[in-house]
Amino acid sequence: VIAPPAGEELLCSTDSFFEGVDFDLTYFPLKHLGYKVVTAGVSDILAMNARPSQIVLSLGVSAKLPVEALDDLYEGVRFACDELGVDLAGGDTRASMTGLAVTVTTLGHAPKERIVYRSGARLHDLICITGNLGAAFMGLRLLDHLIVGDGACYSIREDGLL
């Protein structure tokens, strides 16, 4: 049972992340993935001008990932939760036939009159963002075009030659 503080509304947001679509474990350590999913969920609640309080984490885990590897994922989750002041309130773990899947549901609360909705956006409103737009995509593109062998990196040209 979850109840917001008196005089406040409960907010809920869910984000899903799928291996091969949203992340590649070749380049992305599980600890970083754990951190990423928490911060993504918390950011949705913050964008509504609310205070995040709890997350629920559900995993779909394929047989190719050893159960011990999940310790790394949860290390990132715990670090982010501690840093952001939210509680990991529960979740679920299931088998996956298609790779790792992570879904985070984030709960938060705010006084009703302070909640900001997407539908409230108007022409000429100021939109603020944080971070470097496109940096993650460009980093992945760079990684996809490098071969590591004998400690050296080689760029692959469009014709497939080094």
Side-chain angles (χ1 to χ4, degrees), residues 19 25 62-66 99-100:
E19 183 177 355
L25 291 177
S62 71
K64 72 177 185 175
L65 191 66
L100 182 61

Side-chain angles (χ1 to χ4, degrees), residues 12-94:
C12 180
S13 177
T14 300
D15 293 292
S16 294
F17 301 84
F18 298 96
E19 183 177 355
V21 177
D22 300 298
F23 61 91
D24 184 335
L25 291 177
T26 305
Y27 312 123
F28 210 79
L30 286 168
K31 182 177 179 179
H32 295 185
L33 178 62
Y35 185 88
K36 175 183 177 170
V37 300
V38 174
T39 57
V42 165
S43 72
D44 290 348
I45 298 297
L46 291 171
M48 292 184 265
N49 200 33
R51 178 185 204 121
S53 56
Q54 297 172 320
I55 65 164
V56 176
L57 193 67
S58 295
L59 306 177
V61 183
S62 71
K64 72 177 185 175
L65 191 66
V67 174
E68 296 79 22
L70 295 180
D71 290 341
D72 291 338
L73 178 80
Y74 277 104
E75 186 179 344
V77 168
R78 280 190 297 275
F79 184 83
C81 285
D82 290 345
E83 185 177 68
L84 300 168
V86 298
D87 296 323
L88 175 57
D92 191 22
T93 303
R94 303 281 313 218

Side-chain angles (χ1 to χ4, degrees), residues 138 140-149 151-162:
M138 288 306 298
L140 183 57
R141 295 288 297 160
L142 285 171
L143 289 170
D144 282 342
H145 288 84
L146 294 176
I147 297 175
V148 179
C153 292
Y154 305 94
S155 178
I156 302 173
R157 298 184 343 195
E158 284 185 31
D159 59 10
L161 300 174
L162 296 179

Side-chain angles (χ1 to χ4, degrees), residues 89-151:
D92 191 22
T93 303
R94 303 281 313 218
S96 168
M97 301 301 287
T98 59
L100 182 61
V102 182
T103 298
V104 60
T105 299
T106 308
L107 303 172
H109 53 87
K112 188 173 186 169
E113 64 277 1
R114 293 191 56 211
I115 299 172
V116 175
Y117 299 92
R118 287 182 189 166
S119 62
R122 302 288 178 255
L123 187 63
H124 304 295
D125 277 356
L126 178 65
I127 298 173
C128 300
I129 58 165
T130 60
N132 299 316
L133 290 181
F137 174 75
M138 288 306 298
L140 183 57
R141 295 288 297 160
L142 285 171
L143 289 170
D144 282 342
H145 288 84
L146 294 176
I147 297 175
V148 179
D150 300 328

